[in-house]
Amino acid sequence: MHTRVPASDFVGRRAELAVFAGAIADAQRGLPSVVLVSGDAGIGKTTIVIESAARADVAVHLGRSTHIGGEIIPLAPLADLLRQLRRSRPDLLSETPALTVLRDWFVPRSASSALDGGLFVAVLELFSHLAADAAVVVGFEDLHWADTVTWDLFDHLARNLIDERVVLVGTFRANEVATCPPQRGRLAELARLPAARRI
C-alpha cells in the first residue's frame, strides 16, 4: 500500500506538485492528461505521484516495469496493475465482455501474445471503468526497463484517452533513456501530445 510522506519533505517540489495538480484538475473535468516524470534513481519520482494524488484525494494505481537477471519482463506494469485490481476491485475485471480479455492476465505473457489488438482495447476500457466515478491516476513506472509492447501499450493509451478522467503517468530514469535511442524517440513523440506534461 502506498503511503504519504510528511509535507515538509516536499520543500522545493512546489512546481512539480503544481504540474500534477493541473493534470488532475483537467482529468476531473473529463480532459485526460499524460504526465512524464523523469529523474535519477531514488530522487522521488514515485513519491511525487503518490503525494499529488493524495493531495487531490484521487485514487492512484501504479504498475512497475521489472527485469530479472538482465531479462526484461514483458508487460510487467500491466501484470502488476491487474494483480492489485484483482485484490482491490475484482468486479472491474468482469463488468463488461471486453474486460474478460484481462480476467486471467495476471502473469506476464510473451510480447507476441499481446499483439492481437484486443488487449490494448481491453486496457483502455479498464481505465475508463476505473475512472467512471472519479478521476484516477494510473502509472507505468520504470519505463526504462519496459519491453517494446509495454511502450506500445503506453503510447496507445496516451493517444486514445478521449474524455476519461484519467491521468496517465510514465516514470523513467532520464540517464538510462538517454542512452537508448528508441526510448528517447518515443518519449519525444509522447511529449508533443497536446495533453502531455513533463516533470
Side-chain angles (χ1 to χ4, degrees), residues 91-150:
D91 56 298
L92 286 178
L93 300 180
S94 58
E95 279 186 355
T96 69
L99 293 181
T100 61
V101 175
L102 296 174
R103 188 173 296 156
D104 299 318
W105 202 276
F106 299 114
V107 178
R109 309 286 184 88
S110 68
S112 60
S113 64
L115 297 179
D116 60 3
L119 177 63
F120 287 13
V121 172
V123 175
L124 189 60
E125 187 165 347
L126 173 62
F127 283 16
S128 179
H129 280 262
L130 273 175
D133 299 320
V136 297
V137 174
V138 184
F140 284 32
E141 294 204 273
D142 295 327
L143 282 172
H144 53 277
W145 286 332
D147 66 298
T148 300
V149 178
T150 297

Side-chain angles (χ1 to χ4, degrees), residues 2-190:
H2 301 298
T3 57
R4 295 183 66 180
V5 299
S8 59
D9 289 354
F10 283 88
V11 173
R13 297 292 189 191
R14 185 174 301 172
E16 292 91 339
L17 292 168
V19 170
F20 259 108
I24 293 170
D26 282 351
Q28 289 169 330
R29 298 196 309 271
L31 300 170
S33 295
V34 178
V35 181
L36 304 171
V37 184
S38 65
D40 296 333
I43 201 168
K45 299 181 291 295
T46 300
T47 303
I48 286 286
V49 178
I50 294 168
E51 179 65 17
S52 298
R55 290 185 179 204
D57 195 27
V58 300
V60 58
H61 305 278
L62 303 176
R64 187 177 300 278
S65 301
T66 307
H67 70 97
I68 299 175
E71 294 294 324
I72 293 173
I73 306 300
L75 290 169
L78 176 59
D80 194 11
L81 285 169
L82 292 175
R83 285 190 199 96
Q84 296 170 34
L85 293 173
R86 185 182 187 186
R87 297 182 183 102
S88 63
R89 295 288 308 276
D91 56 298
L92 286 178
L93 300 180
S94 58
E95 279 186 355
T96 69
L99 293 181
T100 61
V101 175
L102 296 174
R103 188 173 296 156
D104 299 318
W105 202 276
F106 299 114
V107 178
R109 309 286 184 88
S110 68
S112 60
S113 64
L115 297 179
D116 60 3
L119 177 63
F120 287 13
V121 172
V123 175
L124 189 60
E125 187 165 347
L126 173 62
F127 283 16
S128 179
H129 280 262
L130 273 175
D133 299 320
V136 297
V137 174
V138 184
F140 284 32
E141 294 204 273
D142 295 327
L143 282 172
H144 53 277
W145 286 332
D147 66 298
T148 300
V149 178
T150 297
W151 278 97
D152 289 343
L153 174 58
F154 188 86
D155 189 85
H156 177 82
L157 295 168
R159 295 176 188 279
N160 287 282
L161 289 166
I162 299 172
D163 55 8
E164 295 84 357
R165 292 180 287 184
V166 172
V167 179
L168 177 65
V169 177
T171 72
F172 58 94
R173 295 180 188 173
N175 60 327
E176 296 204 29
V177 168
T179 63
C180 180
Q183 292 185 357
R184 195 168 64 241
R186 282 181 179 268
L187 284 168
E189 290 295 321
L190 286 166

